[in-house]
């Protein structure tokens, strides 16, 4: 006989919490929105730097590229963990939060779009600050083999794929990012939140998807170090536009609209008490998941 403790919000509760957070974010003072998103851009840039540093392994790049991508993907999620736990604002997360709030008619659509606009530019400012001041003038990637890896990574991101490839990868990316935020919200304690965030982010990085804010570090860093054939114009055309559009669809439609439709469309008032039960299980007595599900709502 064993006891299994279950302590989390139900998906319906999480959707309500996401809507509530979207209302708060959409009504925040714009100067605070900018500085919050600036902070988020900086924090994600640090994680991007860690990914680039981890990927700087020439032997693995030539002989086991899938393995080194997997290892890099395992370390990258700390960026979103820091962002979520410090309350900073990524535009990609805003695409879900404020969409749900707007669909619930708790936030005007113009405030949703304004929040997207301000967070995007705040994220860009924070990312470029780290790229130029911390990484650039700090000479973090100035010497080989790190410099070569940054240039190679930016080149693979910008020159190899077509516009529609990046757009579709952007959908998959922010779909998973918003799943990470959703599952992270479901946990009540710090460890649960970290685990909930970690694995969807690992998934999008290991699959090579495109995140518009991550690209604000990867591509400008390559340009800073003199990557051939990558210009600011090319970065805007293939590093920002298709990624941003894909991220909006992935976060706003595949995540935000879906969760609103599944859990909030009925208009029912839901609690935020969630699930907090201890289930005693006797071996061979039945399905644990079914017993826990009976306790919900």
């Amino acid at each position: 006989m064993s006891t299994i403790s279950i302590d989390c919000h139900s998906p319906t509760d999480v959707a309500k919490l996401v809507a509530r957070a979207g209302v708060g974010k959409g009504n925040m003072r714009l100067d605070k929105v900018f500085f919050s998103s600036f902070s988020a851009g900086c924090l994600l840039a640090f994680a991007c730097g860690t990914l680039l540093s981890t990927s700087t392994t020439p032997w693995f790049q030539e002989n086991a590229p899938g393995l080194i991508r997997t290892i890099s993907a395992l370390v990258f999620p700390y960026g979103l963990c820091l962002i979520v736990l410090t309350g900073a604002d990524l535009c990609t997360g805003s695409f879900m939060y404020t969409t749900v709030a707007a669909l619930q008619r708790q936030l005007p659509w113009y405030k949703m779009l304004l929040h997207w606009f301000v967070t995007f530019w705040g994220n860009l400012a924070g990312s470029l600050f780290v790229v130029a001041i911390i990484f650039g003038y700090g000479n973090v990637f100035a010497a080989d083999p790190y410099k070569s890896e940054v240039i190679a990574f930016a080149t693979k991101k910008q020159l190899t794929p077509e516009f529609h490839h990046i757009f579709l990868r952007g959908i998959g990316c922010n779909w998973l990012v918003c799943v990470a935020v959703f599952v992270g919200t479901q946990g009540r304690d710090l460890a649960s939140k970290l685990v909930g965030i970690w694995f969807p982010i690992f998934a999008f990085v290991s699959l090579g998807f495109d995140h518009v804010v991550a690209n604000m570090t990867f591509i400008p860093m390559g340009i800073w170090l003199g990557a051939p054939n990558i210009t600011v114009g090319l970065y805007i055309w293939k590093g920002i536009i298709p990624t941003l559009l894909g991220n909006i669809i992935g976060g706003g439609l595949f995540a935000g609209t879906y969760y609103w439709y599944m859990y909030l469309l009925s208009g029912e008032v839901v609690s935020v008490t969630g699930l907090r039960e201890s289930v005693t299980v006797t071996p061979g007595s039945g399905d644990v998941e079914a017993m826990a599900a009976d306790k919900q709502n």
Side-chain angles (χ1 to χ4, degrees):
M1 182 177 294
S2 60
T3 300
I4 299 176
S5 295
I6 302 172
D7 188 4
C8 64
H9 295 293
S10 71
T12 302
D13 295 340
V14 177
K16 193 70 174 180
L17 290 170
V18 167
R20 183 182 300 174
V23 173
K25 291 176 181 293
N27 288 298
M28 188 187 300
R29 278 174 38 182
L30 293 183
D31 58 323
K32 288 193 172 186
V33 174
F34 179 81
F35 285 116
S36 176
S37 53
F38 182 93
S39 173
C42 292
L43 294 174
L44 196 67
F46 291 137
C48 291
T50 300
L51 183 147
L52 291 169
S53 178
T54 306
S55 298
T56 306
T57 48
W59 187 91
F60 279 98
Q61 291 289 3
E62 294 178 6
N63 298 278
L67 177 60
I68 195 57
R69 177 188 278 186
T70 299
I71 295 172
S72 298
L74 282 170
V75 300
F76 180 79
Y78 81 79
L80 187 64
C81 290
L82 294 177
I83 289 167
V84 170
L85 295 178
T86 59
D89 283 293
L90 272 182
C91 64
T92 47
S94 175
F95 299 154
M96 178 181 73
Y97 283 119
T98 55
T99 295
V100 175
L103 288 170
Q104 277 291 90
R105 299 182 181 179
Q106 296 174 339
L107 183 72
W109 289 99
Y110 79 90
K111 284 192 174 183
M112 178 193 80
L113 295 175
L114 181 60
H115 193 267
W116 292 7
F117 180 82
V118 176
T119 53
F120 173 84
W121 289 107
N123 291 161
L124 180 62
S127 299
L128 294 182
F129 174 81
V130 172
V131 167
I133 306 302
I134 308 298
F135 292 163
Y137 289 118
N139 284 343
V140 175
F141 297 102
D144 281 329
Y146 300 101
K147 179 179 179 179
S148 297
E149 172 57 26
V150 172
I151 292 173
F153 193 92
T155 300
K156 285 185 287 187
K157 280 281 186 184
Q158 291 291 265
L159 298 182
T160 304
E162 300 294 334
F163 186 98
H164 67 283
H165 296 151
I166 299 173
F167 168 73
L168 294 172
R169 294 175 188 177
I171 293 175
C173 170
N174 208 33
W175 189 353
L176 287 168
V177 169
C178 290
V179 168
V181 174
F182 190 92
V183 178
T185 303
Q186 193 164 16
R188 295 180 188 271
D189 60 277
L190 180 63
S192 298
K193 290 181 179 295
L194 293 176
V195 173
I197 294 169
W198 208 274
F199 287 99
I201 301 303
F202 161 76
F204 105 68
V205 178
S206 66
L207 291 169
F209 290 161
D210 280 273
H211 188 275
V212 68
V213 183
N215 281 356
M216 292 174 183
T217 296
F218 292 138
I219 313 307
M221 196 70 242
I223 295 173
W224 180 280
L225 294 175
N229 303 317
I230 300 181
T231 63
V232 173
L234 179 66
Y235 165 54
I236 294 172
W237 175 242
K238 291 180 69 178
I240 290 181
I241 295 175
T243 314
L244 180 61
L245 293 175
N247 287 172
I248 289 173
I249 293 174
L253 180 62
F254 284 76
T257 302
Y258 169 77
Y259 293 131
W260 171 80
Y261 177 82
M262 291 298 296
Y263 304 120
L264 300 178
L265 179 59
S266 64
E268 296 177 358
V269 177
V270 297
S271 70
V272 291
T273 55
L275 177 64
R276 191 189 294 269
E277 299 287 346
S278 292
V279 182
T280 301
V281 181
T282 301
S285 63
D287 182 38
V288 176
E289 288 77 8
M291 294 173 63
D294 289 340
K295 301 286 186 179
Q296 294 193 48
N297 302 322

